[in-house]
Amino acid sequence: MIQAVLFDLDGTLLDRMQRSLGHIPKALYIKRFIELDMRGYVWKDKVYAQLIQEFEIQQTTMEFLLDDYLSNFHLHCVPFKGLQSMLQGLKEQGLKLGIISNGKGDFQMGNIKALAIENYFDVILISENEQLRKPDPRIFQRALGRLAVQPRESVFVGDHPANDIEAAQNAEMYGVWKPSGLLDEAPSAHAQISSLEELKDIIAALNA
């Protein structure tokens, strides 16, 4: 029986595609930001340095833009549809919940708090705090140890084919892929969902 469900954050619970940065021509700027950012896997000092060069920005600096990002990103956090109702439903089933996210500790915790979902989770592991990053299987094993559940009693939901799905399955968890439309297919996933509301059916099927 499934005892725990763990999630990636960016692109899985937090809809980063809806982030409005408010600089330059908005649509073009956001598109290029997300391309350079690789959906959270490249830190923003490099992203802003490249944007300043490409857009020939004269009136600001990389440091100013990075500080603005760190200070204000949480004010624009957008959850995927049905996030809180999905988490509430899983908790009502008695499931333990966790997050495993690559990123900066304070920054990611600020985003989690901005989504108002912190209290749903029994464990939250962020790579900077843990000194481990996905796809290292040890960060998945550490989370399962804190939850006191076995790998085959757990599901991991994420959008990255390698860092989320393959890595979780290498840790002997069930991998549920929520594609973002920006990354290649993950044919090895145990299941695939297009919305968070579908997760309850996946768990019911695994428990059947």
Side-chain angles (χ1 to χ4, degrees):
M1 294 289 290
I2 300 301
Q3 303 293 324
V5 183
L6 295 94
F7 298 87
D8 170 54
L9 179 61
D10 294 324
T12 303
L13 305 179
L14 171 62
D15 188 355
R16 301 183 75 256
M17 292 295 290
Q18 297 300 317
R19 163 71 165 146
S20 174
L21 298 173
H23 303 291
I24 321 295
K26 186 181 292 186
L28 177 60
Y29 187 92
I30 293 173
K31 178 178 182 293
R32 189 59 182 141
F33 180 97
I34 292 172
E35 289 172 350
L36 294 170
D37 159 71
M38 295 182 66
R39 300 184 59 269
Y41 284 93
V42 175
W43 189 235
K44 307 310 168 287
D45 54 352
K46 297 181 178 64
V47 173
Y48 284 123
Q50 185 67 27
L51 288 171
I52 287 172
Q53 178 181 340
E54 290 186 13
F55 286 102
E56 299 181 351
I57 300 171
Q58 304 293 328
Q59 305 302 319
T60 191
T61 65
M62 176 273 289
E63 290 80 8
F64 177 86
L65 294 177
L66 179 60
D67 182 67
D68 174 72
Y69 179 88
L70 293 173
S71 300
N72 296 315
F73 185 94
H74 70 282
L75 300 176
H76 303 277
C77 286
V78 178
F80 280 103
K81 180 182 177 182
L83 173 57
Q84 291 211 15
S85 61
M86 178 272 296
L87 294 174
Q88 182 64 36
L90 296 180
K91 294 299 286 186
E92 289 173 357
Q93 294 179 48
L95 293 166
K96 299 177 180 180
L97 302 182
I99 289 176
I100 303 176
S101 175
N102 285 350
K104 303 288 187 179
D106 290 343
F107 180 76
Q108 293 294 63
M109 281 304 305
N111 294 336
I112 291 167
K113 290 176 180 178
L115 292 172
I117 58 173
E118 180 183 11
N119 291 337
Y120 287 106
F121 292 96
D122 301 285
V123 296
I124 297 173
L125 283 73
I126 301 172
S127 62
E128 182 182 54
N129 299 340
E130 302 298 326
Q131 294 298 295
L132 287 172
R133 292 179 60 86
K134 296 178 296 181
D136 191 321
R138 291 177 294 173
I139 197 167
F140 296 91
Q141 293 161 358
R142 183 175 295 179
L144 295 175
R146 292 177 186 174
L147 291 171
V149 298
Q150 297 300 311
R152 302 307 288 179
E153 298 173 335
S154 63
V155 169
F156 190 84
V157 185
D159 70 315
H160 196 287
N163 291 347
D164 292 329
I165 303 308
E166 291 179 13
Q169 292 180 162
N170 287 340
E172 300 185 346
M173 303 171 69
Y174 288 99
V176 176
W177 186 43
K178 183 177 177 290
S180 65
L182 298 177
L183 297 170
D184 294 335
E185 293 184 1
S188 64
H190 290 107
Q192 178 177 331
I193 59 174
S194 58
S195 67
L196 294 172
E197 291 95 333
E198 298 173 52
L199 187 57
K200 63 180 184 299
D201 295 329
I202 299 297
I203 294 171
L206 290 172
N207 284 336

